[in-house]
Amino acid sequence: MVNESDRTFKTRLKPGAAWWPAVVAVAYTAAIGSIGRVTWESGTDPEWQVTVIDIFFTIFIGLMALALLGFHLAILWLGLPSVVFTPQEVRLRCHIGFLAVPWDGLRPGHPRQPGPRDRVLHLTTMPSSPTRSRGLAVVPLKLLDIHPWFLADAIRHYAAHPEHRAAIGTPAEHDRLRRHLLAGGAPAQAGLCSP
Protein backbone atom coordinates (compact mmCIF):
# COMPACT_ATOMS: atom_id res chain seq x y z
CA MET A 1 0.00 0.00 0.00
CA VAL A 2 1.32 3.42 -0.92
CA ASN A 3 1.16 6.07 1.80
CA GLU A 4 2.13 9.36 0.16
CA SER A 5 1.70 11.46 3.31
CA ASP A 6 4.31 9.41 5.20
CA ARG A 7 6.35 8.57 2.08
CA THR A 8 6.16 4.84 2.81
CA PHE A 9 5.14 1.53 1.32
CA LYS A 10 3.31 -0.62 3.85
CA THR A 11 2.03 -4.17 3.60
CA ARG A 12 -1.66 -4.85 4.16
CA LEU A 13 -3.20 -7.70 6.08
CA LYS A 14 -5.16 -10.36 4.25
CA PRO A 15 -8.92 -9.93 4.60
CA GLY A 16 -9.13 -13.30 6.37
CA ALA A 17 -6.69 -12.17 9.05
CA ALA A 18 -9.56 -10.67 11.05
CA TRP A 19 -11.15 -14.08 11.58
CA TRP A 20 -8.34 -15.75 13.50
CA PRO A 21 -8.73 -13.70 16.72
CA ALA A 22 -12.39 -14.72 16.91
CA VAL A 23 -11.48 -18.35 16.36
CA VAL A 24 -8.81 -18.15 19.09
CA ALA A 25 -11.27 -16.56 21.54
CA VAL A 26 -13.96 -19.18 20.87
CA ALA A 27 -11.45 -22.05 21.13
CA TYR A 28 -10.05 -20.60 24.36
CA THR A 29 -13.52 -20.25 25.88
CA ALA A 30 -14.56 -23.75 24.86
CA ALA A 31 -11.35 -25.36 26.13
CA ILE A 32 -11.29 -23.61 29.48
CA GLY A 33 -15.06 -23.72 29.96
CA SER A 34 -15.15 -27.48 29.48
CA ILE A 35 -12.77 -28.00 32.40
CA GLY A 36 -15.26 -26.70 34.98
CA ARG A 37 -17.91 -29.39 34.65
CA VAL A 38 -15.54 -32.35 34.72
CA THR A 39 -13.74 -31.24 37.90
CA TRP A 40 -16.85 -31.17 40.10
CA GLU A 41 -18.36 -34.36 41.44
CA SER A 42 -22.10 -34.29 41.76
CA GLY A 43 -23.46 -34.81 45.24
CA THR A 44 -20.30 -33.62 47.04
CA ASP A 45 -21.18 -29.91 47.18
CA PRO A 46 -24.51 -28.30 47.88
CA GLU A 47 -26.24 -27.44 44.61
CA TRP A 48 -26.22 -23.68 45.25
CA GLN A 49 -22.41 -23.65 45.68
CA VAL A 50 -21.89 -25.35 42.33
CA THR A 51 -24.24 -22.88 40.68
CA VAL A 52 -22.50 -19.84 42.19
CA ILE A 53 -19.05 -21.18 41.29
CA ASP A 54 -20.28 -22.01 37.80
CA ILE A 55 -21.62 -18.47 37.32
CA PHE A 56 -18.43 -16.77 38.50
CA PHE A 57 -16.27 -19.16 36.47
CA THR A 58 -18.34 -18.52 33.34
CA ILE A 59 -18.19 -14.75 33.83
CA PHE A 60 -14.42 -14.86 34.37
CA ILE A 61 -13.80 -17.01 31.29
CA GLY A 62 -16.14 -14.85 29.21
CA LEU A 63 -14.34 -11.66 30.27
CA MET A 64 -10.95 -13.23 29.52
CA ALA A 65 -12.17 -14.28 26.07
CA LEU A 66 -13.52 -10.78 25.39
CA ALA A 67 -10.22 -9.23 26.53
CA LEU A 68 -8.28 -11.60 24.28
CA LEU A 69 -10.56 -10.88 21.33
CA GLY A 70 -10.36 -7.11 21.97
CA PHE A 71 -6.58 -7.27 22.16
CA HIS A 72 -6.30 -9.12 18.85
CA LEU A 73 -8.79 -6.86 17.09
CA ALA A 74 -6.96 -3.75 18.35
CA ILE A 75 -3.73 -5.13 16.94
CA LEU A 76 -5.39 -5.73 13.58
CA TRP A 77 -6.99 -2.26 13.65
CA LEU A 78 -3.51 -0.78 14.13
CA GLY A 79 -2.39 -2.64 11.00
CA LEU A 80 -0.05 -5.01 12.79
CA PRO A 81 1.89 -7.01 11.82
CA SER A 82 3.35 -5.11 8.90
CA VAL A 83 6.46 -4.41 6.86
CA VAL A 84 7.10 -0.73 6.12
CA PHE A 85 9.51 0.65 3.53
CA THR A 86 10.79 4.21 3.96
CA PRO A 87 13.51 5.97 1.96
CA GLN A 88 15.86 5.41 4.92
CA GLU A 89 15.00 1.93 6.23
CA VAL A 90 12.82 -1.15 6.28
CA ARG A 91 10.73 -1.76 9.40
CA LEU A 92 9.15 -4.91 10.75
CA ARG A 93 6.29 -4.09 13.13
CA CYS A 94 4.21 -6.38 15.31
CA HIS A 95 2.44 -6.28 18.65
CA ILE A 96 5.43 -7.57 20.61
CA GLY A 97 8.14 -5.44 19.03
CA PHE A 98 9.68 -3.77 16.02
CA LEU A 99 12.90 -3.84 14.06
CA ALA A 100 14.16 -0.97 11.90
CA VAL A 101 17.14 -1.65 9.64
CA PRO A 102 18.77 0.97 7.38
CA TRP A 103 18.88 -0.20 3.76
CA ASP A 104 22.68 -0.19 3.82
CA GLY A 105 22.64 -2.35 6.96
CA LEU A 106 21.05 -5.34 5.23
CA ARG A 107 23.35 -8.18 4.24
CA PRO A 108 23.72 -8.27 0.43
CA GLY A 109 21.46 -10.87 -1.20
CA HIS A 110 19.16 -11.09 1.82
CA PRO A 111 16.43 -11.79 2.68
CA ARG A 112 16.19 -14.87 0.56
CA GLN A 113 12.89 -15.94 -0.91
CA PRO A 114 11.03 -17.75 1.88
CA GLY A 115 10.50 -21.44 1.45
CA PRO A 116 7.16 -23.23 1.82
CA ARG A 117 7.82 -23.94 5.51
CA ASP A 118 9.01 -20.44 6.42
CA ARG A 119 6.40 -18.79 8.58
CA VAL A 120 8.04 -15.44 9.37
CA LEU A 121 10.14 -12.85 7.55
CA HIS A 122 13.81 -12.82 8.56
CA LEU A 123 16.10 -9.84 7.97
CA THR A 124 19.83 -10.56 8.03
CA THR A 125 21.88 -7.52 8.94
CA MET A 126 25.52 -6.58 8.76
CA PRO A 127 27.38 -6.90 12.10
CA SER A 128 27.95 -3.15 12.45
CA SER A 129 24.47 -2.15 11.23
CA PRO A 130 22.82 0.61 13.31
CA THR A 131 19.50 -1.18 13.79
CA ARG A 132 16.78 -0.04 16.15
CA SER A 133 14.67 -2.67 17.86
CA ARG A 134 12.36 -3.33 20.75
CA GLY A 135 11.00 -6.69 21.78
CA LEU A 136 10.73 -9.40 19.16
CA ALA A 137 9.73 -8.39 15.63
CA VAL A 138 7.85 -11.40 14.27
CA VAL A 139 5.91 -10.85 11.04
CA PRO A 140 3.87 -13.93 10.05
CA LEU A 141 3.95 -14.19 6.27
CA LYS A 142 0.54 -15.91 6.12
CA LEU A 143 -1.20 -12.78 7.42
CA LEU A 144 0.26 -10.38 4.83
CA ASP A 145 -1.59 -9.63 1.60
CA ILE A 146 1.57 -9.94 -0.50
CA HIS A 147 3.42 -12.94 -1.84
CA PRO A 148 6.46 -13.66 0.38
CA TRP A 149 8.79 -13.92 -2.63
CA PHE A 150 7.67 -10.54 -3.95
CA LEU A 151 8.27 -8.97 -0.53
CA ALA A 152 11.75 -10.49 -0.21
CA ASP A 153 12.61 -9.44 -3.78
CA ALA A 154 11.46 -5.86 -3.10
CA ILE A 155 13.62 -5.64 0.04
CA ARG A 156 16.66 -6.97 -1.84
CA HIS A 157 15.97 -4.56 -4.71
CA TYR A 158 16.03 -1.46 -2.50
CA ALA A 159 19.05 -2.73 -0.58
CA ALA A 160 20.94 -3.14 -3.87
CA HIS A 161 19.64 0.01 -5.63
CA PRO A 162 19.95 3.10 -3.42
CA GLU A 163 19.05 5.35 -6.36
CA HIS A 164 15.41 4.17 -6.15
CA ARG A 165 14.96 4.67 -2.38
CA ALA A 166 14.20 8.40 -2.53
CA ALA A 167 11.05 7.69 -4.54
CA ILE A 168 9.62 5.20 -2.00
CA GLY A 169 6.10 6.21 -1.06
CA THR A 170 5.05 7.49 -4.46
CA PRO A 171 2.58 5.76 -6.79
CA ALA A 172 5.03 6.07 -9.70
CA GLU A 173 7.74 4.21 -7.76
CA HIS A 174 5.27 1.56 -6.66
CA ASP A 175 4.27 0.95 -10.28
CA ARG A 176 7.92 0.92 -11.40
CA LEU A 177 8.88 -1.59 -8.70
CA ARG A 178 5.98 -3.90 -9.57
CA ARG A 179 6.80 -3.80 -13.29
CA HIS A 180 10.51 -4.35 -12.63
CA LEU A 181 10.07 -7.31 -10.26
CA LEU A 182 7.28 -8.98 -12.20
CA ALA A 183 9.20 -8.61 -15.49
CA GLY A 184 12.08 -10.66 -14.12
CA GLY A 185 14.18 -7.87 -12.64
CA ALA A 186 14.52 -9.91 -9.48
CA PRO A 187 16.30 -13.22 -8.97
CA ALA A 188 14.83 -16.53 -10.07
CA GLN A 189 11.12 -17.24 -9.76
CA ALA A 190 10.06 -13.60 -9.50
CA GLY A 191 7.50 -14.21 -12.24
CA LEU A 192 5.56 -16.38 -9.81
CA CYS A 193 5.18 -13.52 -7.36
CA SER A 194 1.99 -11.54 -7.07
CA PRO A 195 1.97 -7.91 -5.97
Side-chain angles (χ1 to χ4, degrees):
M1 174 172 69
V2 178
N3 188 345
E4 289 185 86
S5 63
D6 291 343
R7 296 287 313 250
T8 62
F9 293 152
K10 181 181 175 188
T11 57
R12 289 186 297 232
L13 294 172
K14 286 183 180 176
W19 289 103
W20 72 268
V23 170
V24 168
V26 168
Y28 170 78
T29 304
I32 299 297
S34 67
I35 294 172
R37 286 289 179 194
V38 298
T39 57
W40 289 313
E41 297 177 23
S42 66
T44 59
D45 289 328
E47 188 63 34
W48 68 269
Q49 286 180 343
V50 172
T51 304
V52 170
I53 291 171
D54 196 19
I55 290 170
F56 283 117
F57 187 72
T58 303
I59 290 171
F60 175 74
I61 295 303
L63 290 175
M64 293 299 290
L66 281 175
L68 181 66
L69 180 62
F71 175 72
H72 285 297
L73 291 176
I75 289 168
L76 293 175
W77 183 74
L78 292 171
L80 300 175
S82 67
V83 179
V84 180
F85 292 7
T86 71
Q88 298 80 24
E89 62 193 6
V90 59
R91 299 179 196 146
L92 304 182
R93 299 175 51 228
C94 71
H95 65 287
I96 58 174
F98 79 92
L99 173 66
V101 181
W103 291 110
D104 295 330
L106 291 168
R107 180 169 285 166
H110 288 267
R112 296 196 173 128
Q113 289 179 341
R117 293 187 180 172
D118 289 339
R119 302 205 186 290
V120 296
L121 179 66
H122 299 282
L123 292 182
T124 308
T125 60
M126 301 297 283
S128 61
S129 174
T131 62
R132 294 179 295 127
S133 65
R134 182 187 76 229
L136 182 63
V138 178
V139 177
L141 294 170
K142 290 184 350 182
L143 295 180
L144 300 180
D145 195 20
I146 186 171
H147 195 287
W149 287 355
F150 188 88
L151 180 60
D153 291 345
I155 293 170
R156 279 197 317 275
H157 174 77
Y158 284 120
H161 298 281
E163 67 273 12
H164 296 293
R165 295 178 198 158
I168 288 177
T170 63
E173 175 60 15
H174 185 261
D175 293 341
R176 187 206 62 79
L177 176 68
R178 285 182 54 185
R179 280 192 311 274
H180 175 74
L181 294 180
L182 293 175
Q189 300 174 326
L192 299 175
C193 302
S194 63

